[in-house]
Amino acid sequence: MTNAIHWPEWVPLAGHQLRVSGVHFDALRIQGVRGEQVAARLIAETEGDAGPVICEATGFRWMYFLVAPGSAKEHRWPLGVQRFGTPRTVTYIGIPALEGNTWPLCWYSEPTATAPYVESGQLLVALSS
């Protein structure tokens, strides 16, 4: 039996689970093609180490950019970017496991030891490009 450390602790071991934004992370949500373009720009600018970005495979195909708790309020976000993590509202974000069947959610960019969160300032720059 191994004692593998599961990191980060808010990522489920299998499938997907709901997590409250503002606790382990804040989330910024961008719809469809625009979200995919921003994510691709961010990944290119960070040489593949952008931090956690989640994609919904159905519906509006939202992209969720997970930033450090409390950091979503540090910037003024452009129209079309929805912010989750304020203390006034409770919002649940679906988080997929790092492996296995997680449909309809998938990691567009996984959290890493060097990028446990998307850097909010870098995200803002990618949105402006």
Side-chain angles (χ1 to χ4, degrees), residues 100-124:
N101 183 6
T102 62
W103 190 88
L105 302 174
C106 66
W107 288 103
Y108 200 87
S109 174
E110 294 180 358
T112 65
T114 56
Y117 300 104
V118 170
E119 191 64 43
S120 60
Q122 287 178 325
L123 177 58
L124 194 58

Side-chain angles (χ1 to χ4, degrees), residues 38-128:
V38 170
R41 231 177 273 129
L42 184 65
I43 290 167
E45 291 169 1
T46 59
E47 298 179 3
D49 200 20
V53 180
I54 298 169
C55 177
E56 284 184 355
T58 60
F60 292 109
R61 298 187 53 83
W62 295 106
M63 299 291 285
Y64 293 85
F65 299 82
L66 306 184
V67 297
S71 66
K73 65 183 177 189
E74 293 175 356
H75 302 285
R76 189 174 166 102
W77 300 98
L79 289 175
V81 177
Q82 296 176 313
R83 183 181 79 187
F84 302 108
T86 63
R88 288 181 281 174
T89 59
V90 174
T91 305
Y92 292 90
I93 307 295
I95 305 296
L98 294 173
E99 298 177 346
N101 183 6
T102 62
W103 190 88
L105 302 174
C106 66
W107 288 103
Y108 200 87
S109 174
E110 294 180 358
T112 65
T114 56
Y117 300 104
V118 170
E119 191 64 43
S120 60
Q122 287 178 325
L123 177 58
L124 194 58
V125 168
L127 276 160
S128 303

